[in-house]
């Protein structure tokens, strides 16, 4: 889906000489085309400009205000347009945003604030009582130590703007709802959440899918999903996600990808050279669980050739070619089994068990590693059993059929 409101979009649309809606319609079309090209399927493409979402967000904002979770004040601080975030004097690094490194500017405006402090202790308690709520462990420590257990406590959150027009309007005509209440609630509004109803009164679809088993989130927006989002849910009296996984990044070699550096690799363009499956495989196999992955054209070529061509491709081709050559494509019943066959079967059974455990704990690169180790063992089995030698003798035909089986 696409998160479509905010100052950044407003400014980009102005530069292009179009309305914000025209601008986001074009970009959303491009994003959907990429997902389609990469063979990603989805039940629902979320747009935060859709009517159902905007209406629900207006109601959520009003409910927060009526409950006393939101109050009006003034915001004064350093503002980063690309990140759509305000920062304090101590957070800014040499006049630049601590998250993206772009220059920040001083700003002061009337705004509504959400009382994060009201729910902070409850959130800390939830994190402590649910050790796997935020994973990996290093990300959990980062969130707790840098934002929750800090001097002065959790800062209240600016949730409206008067200087931005492109967004969902509040009951106060000067104010537009600022990014996070709008962006984060899409997970529940897409399921038909009605702010006027209790959890038990929500639709069957909503109760079936919420709370979600897991949010898989880029590590750069983990703070919003592990602190702001759970607190919004607490204020709505809704259950929290069961787990939130802070996903690492791909770097270009050892450098962070950056358009200004010209070192960005796009998945759809990569697929033109290495196929969609080749790119999907690389993205899964080269992304560690807790640290950033690395991608270069050279590393994609190497892994494509080593794993997909020489290991998987070689195994499939050798097996099928011999099955065709020696048995006219008919798979034989295994009638002459030996210990070496049982060893290969055991490797496959163990691989399935290890792979399942790894996938269940989001160690996806490890899971693929186990699978490709198994394929290597199968290739070695072919070399050890030498079917091409067995094929020379009539009395070893049954053994040959068993080996190929």
């Amino acid at each position: 889906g696409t998160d479509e409101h905010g100052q950044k979009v407003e400014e980009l649309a102005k530069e292009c000489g179009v309305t914000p809606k025209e601008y986001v319609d074009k970009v959303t079309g491009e994003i959907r085309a990429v997902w389609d090209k990469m063979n990603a399927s989805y039940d629902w493409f979320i747009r935060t400009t859709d009517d159902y979402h905007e209406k629900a967000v207006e109601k959520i904002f009003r409910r927060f205000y009526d409950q006393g979770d939101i109050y009006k004040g003034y915001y004064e601080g350093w503002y980063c347009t690309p990140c759509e975030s305000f920062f304090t004097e101590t957070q800014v690094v040499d006049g630049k945003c601590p998250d993206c490194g772009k220059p920040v500017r001083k700003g002061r405006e009337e705004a509504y604030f959400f009382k994060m402090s009201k729910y902070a202790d409850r959130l800390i308690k939830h994190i402590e009582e649910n050790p796997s709520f935020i994973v990996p462990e290093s990300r959990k420590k980062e969130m707790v130590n840098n934002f929750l257990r800090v001097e002065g406590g959790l800062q209240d959150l600016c949730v409206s703007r008067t200087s931005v027009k492109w967004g969902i309007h509040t009951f106060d005509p000067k104010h537009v709802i600022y990014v996070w209440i709008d962006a984060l609630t899409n997970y529940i509004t897409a399921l038909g959440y009605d702010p006027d109803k209790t959890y038990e009164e929500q639709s069957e679809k909503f109760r079936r899918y919420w709370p979600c088993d897991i949010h898989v989130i880029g590590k750069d927006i983990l703070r919003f999903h592990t602190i702001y989002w759970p607190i919004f849910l607490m204020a709505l009296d809704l259950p929290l996600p069961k787990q939130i996984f802070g996903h690492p990044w791909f770097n270009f070699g050892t450098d962070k990808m950056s358009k200004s550096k010209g070192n960005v690799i796009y998945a759809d363009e990569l697929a033109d050279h290495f196929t969609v499956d080749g790119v999907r495989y690389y993205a899964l196999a080269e992304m560690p669980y807790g640290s950033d992955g690395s991608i270069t054209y050279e590393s994609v070529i190497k892994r494509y050739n080593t794993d997909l061509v020489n290991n998987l491709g070689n195994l499939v081709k050798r097996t099928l070619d011999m099955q065709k050559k020696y048995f006219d494509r008919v798979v034989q019943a295994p009638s002459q089994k030996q210990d070496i066959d049982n060893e290969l079967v055991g490797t496959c059974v163990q691989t399935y068990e290890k792979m399942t455990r790894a996938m269940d704990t989001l160690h996806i690169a490890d899971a693929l590693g186990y699978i490709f180790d198994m394929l290597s063992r199968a290739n070695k089995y072919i070399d050890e059993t030498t079917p091409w030698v067995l094929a020379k003798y009539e009395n070893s035909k049954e053994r040959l059929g068993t080996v190929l089986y």
Side-chain angles (χ1 to χ4, degrees), residues 336 341 381-382 385-387 390 398-405:
Q336 274 201 18
D341 309 337
Y381 169 85
I382 292 176
T385 52
T386 60
L390 295 172
E398 282 189 33
R399 177 63 190 148
L400 172 63
T402 301
V403 165
L404 291 179
Y405 169 86

Side-chain angles (χ1 to χ4, degrees), residues 284-318:
L284 296 170
E286 280 286 346
M287 182 63 81
Y289 171 74
S291 56
D292 289 344
S294 172
I295 185 167
T296 62
Y297 286 102
E298 291 78 9
S299 61
V300 175
I301 291 167
K302 185 179 177 185
R303 190 172 271 280
Y304 189 94
N305 287 334
T306 302
D307 292 2
L308 299 182
V309 177
N310 297 335
N311 194 349
L312 172 63
N314 188 37
L315 176 65
V316 171
K317 180 150 176 52
R318 293 166 89 189

